[in-house]
Amino acid sequence: MVLFDSHCHLTDRSYIASLDDVISRAQNSGVQFMLTVGLNIDDSLASIKIANKYPDVYCSIGIHPHDAKGMRDGDMERLEKMISDTKVKAIGEAGLDFYRNYSDRESQERAFHKQIDLAQKLGIPMIIHIRAAYPEAKTILLEHKYFNGVIHCYSGDDIFAQWAVTQGFYISFTGSITYDNPNLKDIAKKLPQDRILIETDAPYLAPVPMRGKRNEPSYVKYVAQTIAQLRNSTVENISELTTKNSKKLFGI
Ligand code: NI
């Protein structure tokens, strides 16, 4: 069984003392591949460092909607320079979060537009974060006509999911698929198998039975197990197809 945790945050403070252990626990539970996701310029640089330390760890670089208000002139050029590192596989996470609103909406939209432009210019996929802003995100994506990437930690409805996969996006599920969430479970049941990714979003959103603890990439197997049950499949089969999908999207 070979799993791919397509979205985690290995730069998180809570891993500093034990990152070697976190990575070996993941690899001992079948999680061969991990992609650590950048949240801002400094975090993207830190993600590149981690990805270069471990053979099967990759990374993305970008500005999270929570950090959009801190975006400065020249940040897109800074990101563009980072792309030359061969471990960088995507732009993100970028998007809109109108649930927390840690950045004002205007800053979030500006950062999202600029990062889509950059991804489009470079022809690389995006890791898209959307929370309580699905219609607004759809409008922006349609404006750019760039549909190369994944809608991570999916929390939208069935209609958006169908639209996204028809355009060519992947949909990624976190530990929230293991919670009491009938609508999300129903979406995971019906999606075409070549559009599904799995992730932990660690250190957040630990899946059942680890809910409430610090999450880590080794727990992505619980996400795979839940999706296997929902789709009357096996965990081996779901691991294989989601790993294949992640590799295809990120060009690995
Ligand atoms: Ni994340």
Side-chain angles (χ1 to χ4, degrees):
M1 189 166 78
V2 175
L3 289 150
F4 194 139
D5 182 0
S6 69
H7 187 126
C8 53
H9 298 280
L10 299 178
T11 57
D12 192 81
R13 221 175 276 143
S14 65
Y15 298 129
I16 289 173
S18 59
L19 190 58
D20 285 348
D21 294 340
V22 166
I23 299 215
S24 42
R25 271 201 295 279
Q27 295 186 322
N28 292 335
S29 353
V31 188
Q32 185 181 345
F33 303 101
M34 285 154 257
L35 192 141
T36 187
V37 174
L39 300 169
N40 53 52
I41 296 294
D42 288 345
D43 190 57
S44 296
L45 290 166
S47 301
I48 292 175
K49 265 195 195 153
I50 288 178
N52 277 286
K53 197 174 163 198
Y54 302 96
D56 290 321
V57 176
Y58 297 88
C59 67
S60 71
I61 53 167
I63 298 171
H64 191 285
H66 292 342
D67 289 25
K69 63 178 184 298
M71 191 173 70
R72 291 173 300 149
D73 287 349
D75 277 357
M76 291 306 115
E77 289 74 14
R78 289 180 189 98
L79 290 177
E80 191 171 348
K81 271 194 200 135
M82 294 179 207
I83 299 285
S84 61
D85 190 290
T86 54
K87 285 296 192 88
V88 176
K89 297 298 176 187
I91 296 284
E93 54 190 299
L96 302 175
D97 193 316
F98 293 172
Y99 181 75
R100 300 257 180 226
N101 282 312
Y102 289 153
S103 286
D104 60 279
R105 292 186 177 199
E106 203 186 314
S107 301
Q108 292 189 38
E109 286 175 355
R110 193 171 60 237
F112 192 26
H113 276 293
K114 281 183 175 274
Q115 290 177 90
I116 300 172
D117 281 337
L118 181 61
Q120 196 155 24
K121 177 177 156 192
L122 300 167
I124 67 169
M126 297 192 75
I127 295 173
I128 299 175
H129 171 110
I130 311 173
R131 191 147 184 222
Y134 280 85
E136 294 86 349
K138 185 175 174 181
T139 302
I140 292 177
L141 292 165
L142 279 170
E143 199 179 306
H144 291 264
K145 296 193 174 55
Y146 197 61
F147 309 116
N148 178 11
V150 53
I151 315 295
H152 114 91
C153 190
Y154 194 69
S155 64
D157 63 14
D158 183 44
I159 294 169
F160 186 97
Q162 294 306 323
W163 172 80
V165 298
T166 306
Q167 298 301 328
F169 282 119
Y170 292 80
I171 300 274
S172 182
F173 297 98
T174 57
S176 64
I177 194 74
T178 67
Y179 308 162
D180 182 20
N181 203 336
N183 293 336
L184 194 63
K185 286 185 157 86
D186 201 47
I187 292 168
K189 250 184 235 178
K190 293 191 303 199
L191 281 178
Q193 65 169 20
D194 64 347
R195 296 289 105 193
I196 303 173
L197 302 190
I198 55 173
E199 60 171 296
T200 54
D201 206 10
Y204 315 105
L205 294 171
V208 173
M210 300 300 175
R211 193 171 185 181
K213 298 195 174 153
R214 181 193 71 176
N215 200 0
E216 59 173 61
S218 63
Y219 301 164
V220 80
K221 62 180 180 248
Y222 299 115
V223 177
Q225 275 167 8
T226 302
I227 293 179
Q229 283 161 6
L230 290 168
R231 296 174 70 92
N232 290 320
S233 180
T234 62
V235 69
E236 288 77 14
N237 188 29
I238 296 299
S239 304
E240 192 186 333
L241 80 90
T242 53
T243 295
K244 191 170 140 206
N245 293 344
S246 292
K247 285 182 156 184
K248 187 169 182 211
L249 173 63
F250 299 122
I252 292 165

